Amino acid sequence: MAASHLAGPVLVIGTGLLGTSVGLGLRAKGVHVYLSDISPTAAGVAQDIGAGVLLDNQQIAPELVVIGAPPDVTAALVGDALLAYPNATVVDIASVKGSILAGVLADSRLGEAERSRYVGTHPMAGREKSGPAAARGELFTSMPWVICAHDGAQASRVKAAESLAIDLGATMHRMSVTEHDESVALISHFPQAASSMIASRLLNAESHQLALAGNGLRDTTRIAASDEKLWIQIFSHNADALVPILTGMKEDLDRLINTLRNPQGAGALLDLSQLMAEGNAGRARIPGKHGAPPQAFALVTVVIDDRPGQIAQLLTEIGDAQINIEDLRMEHSAGHQVGMVDVSVVPGRRDELIDVLTKNGWKVAQ
């Protein structure tokens, strides 16, 4: 076990998905963790799965306090922790930063010395499932962790916040609260809103329509299964950054609707082509593996029988051929006992992979 940067103990206040995952990750590094939550059940589950020990009424002097609560109460809990633990660095892991910092700065109980021990952070990791039972100690491994130190934060406190991210295996990014909130509005909050709105269109769909659904619909609605109670708070706390993005999408939707009202009209097909091209260009800007654009890899689609061991066998044979898989996706064929596995490899290995799989008896769709 590699040595941790934090000496501990660490107090985690809020034992939901993220807070419990922090506890599990730190315990795996040998750091002593205390747990606290307004819900005894949530805290009990977190303790039972090994995220730490419950903080009862014992007096502790934590090195670090991690606030893992919903945005609506985070600022108040930060203030409480700064007062209760006068030597501790206090960080929060909420997904909005500007409103929380404003709340901490406006807390009349706090002086400059207390506020200097606070550092806002945001681990860019999560799951559709919520609660401590969904927590994973590896949740933050190689994921971005944003450090949003305010102007009055002590350098030693910022270092403690960074040590938390390092100990949990995350990749650190440093941003101002404004840069952070604008960034997550675009790459996280906006997709959530779009996914939820798409999924809401399915409420009155006929079952025979949904039976035709493939990975396209599943992909675009996957995050619509997220915790609605949390997202209500996120949307409201980051509304200023989210509204301009939604307004831009509304303009694009209006443009598309107007074009489709007369799809054979002058310039209609060109306009549709431009909309699709803009989407293609935007999609191409999303970094893929190692920061490479998605189109940097070649795709090979393999048809497999829907029976145990097929995927394991496929991956084993690709590995035996010393061909590295850059990405992998699977889709079932509706009404048939087969599935399609999309294997992404570097372009120079595509033909070799097809030859290997074909010789081994796999059905490769070209």
Side-chain angles (χ1 to χ4, degrees):
M1 180 171 59
S4 64
H5 290 73
L6 292 170
V10 172
L11 170 61
V12 176
I13 300 177
T15 52
L17 168 65
L18 295 185
T20 303
S21 295
V22 168
L24 289 170
L26 291 178
R27 287 298 303 125
K29 299 284 289 187
V31 178
H32 191 75
V33 178
Y34 290 98
L35 305 169
S36 176
D37 197 292
I38 192 173
S39 166
T41 301
V45 171
Q47 177 178 248
D48 288 347
I49 64 176
V53 298
L54 293 180
L55 178 67
D56 291 324
N57 294 316
Q58 65 264 53
Q59 297 296 314
I60 64 170
E63 173 190 11
L64 180 72
V65 179
V66 180
I67 308 296
D72 277 3
V73 298
T74 295
L77 290 175
V78 167
D80 292 344
L82 289 169
L83 294 172
Y85 305 103
N87 295 315
T89 299
V90 178
V91 305
D92 79 278
I93 53 175
S95 57
V96 290
K97 298 270 72 83
S99 62
I100 293 170
L101 176 59
V104 172
L105 296 179
D107 192 333
S108 60
R109 302 174 299 166
L110 306 176
E112 185 177 334
E114 286 82 20
R115 296 188 185 102
S116 70
R117 293 187 285 112
Y118 163 68
V119 181
T121 82
H122 179 203
M124 300 291 294
R127 305 179 67 192
E128 293 80 44
K129 300 177 181 180
S130 60
R136 299 290 183 270
E138 305 80 16
L139 185 67
F140 310 106
T141 302
S142 299
M143 301 301 290
W145 193 303
V146 187
I147 307 294
C148 297
H150 62 94
D151 291 340
Q154 296 178 27
S156 61
R157 309 301 180 171
V158 177
K159 183 177 180 180
E162 293 173 345
S163 294
L164 174 65
I166 293 170
D167 280 347
L168 294 173
T171 302
M172 274 193 302
H173 297 258
R174 297 171 182 83
M175 293 182 175
S176 70
V177 294
T178 300
E179 289 173 329
H180 169 273
D181 286 358
E182 290 178 348
S183 297
V184 296
L186 178 63
I187 59 91
S188 176
H189 305 169
F190 170 54
Q192 177 65 54
S195 179
S196 294
M197 287 188 288
I198 291 172
S200 72
R201 296 297 90 200
L202 307 178
L203 288 173
N204 297 318
E206 300 291 341
S207 58
H208 67 272
Q209 295 175 311
L210 296 177
L212 302 177
N215 273 4
L217 184 63
R218 294 188 184 95
D219 287 349
T220 54
T221 60
R222 178 180 61 83
I223 56 175
S226 299
D227 183 359
E228 71 274 13
K229 297 182 182 68
L230 175 62
W231 276 99
I232 289 170
Q233 295 188 40
I234 292 173
F235 286 157
S236 63
H237 276 256
N238 206 24
D240 288 346
L242 185 56
V243 165
I245 301 170
L246 291 173
T247 301
M249 185 182 189
K250 180 179 180 298
E251 292 171 355
D252 285 342
L253 282 172
D254 288 340
R255 172 184 169 190
L256 176 60
I257 291 169
N258 288 335
T259 299
L260 291 178
R261 291 190 192 282
N262 184 16
Q264 303 306 320
L269 296 181
L270 175 60
D271 193 45
L272 293 175
S273 176
Q274 288 175 339
L275 281 169
M276 294 299 297
E278 290 166 7
N280 290 339
R283 173 69 176 82
R285 296 197 64 199
I286 302 174
K289 183 178 179 183
H290 306 312
Q295 65 269 31
F297 305 124
L299 188 68
V300 175
T301 300
V302 186
V303 181
I304 63 171
D305 294 329
D306 189 9
R307 54 187 174 86
Q310 284 286 281
I311 296 176
Q313 181 181 345
L314 173 65
L315 298 183
T316 297
E317 293 182 14
I318 295 174
D320 289 344
Q322 297 297 304
I323 298 175
N324 191 48
I325 297 175
E326 306 296 339
D327 199 3
L328 185 74
R329 291 166 59 85
M330 184 175 68
E331 181 174 1
H332 288 286
S333 178
H336 299 277
Q337 297 300 309
V338 298
M340 280 77 72
V341 177
D342 291 334
V343 181
S344 295
V345 296
V346 294
R349 307 298 299 272
R350 179 181 182 274
D351 291 344
E352 180 184 356
L353 176 60
I354 292 174
D355 288 343
V356 167
L357 295 178
T358 302
K359 289 176 182 177
N360 289 351
W362 294 96
K363 300 175 183 176
V364 179
Q366 300 188 50

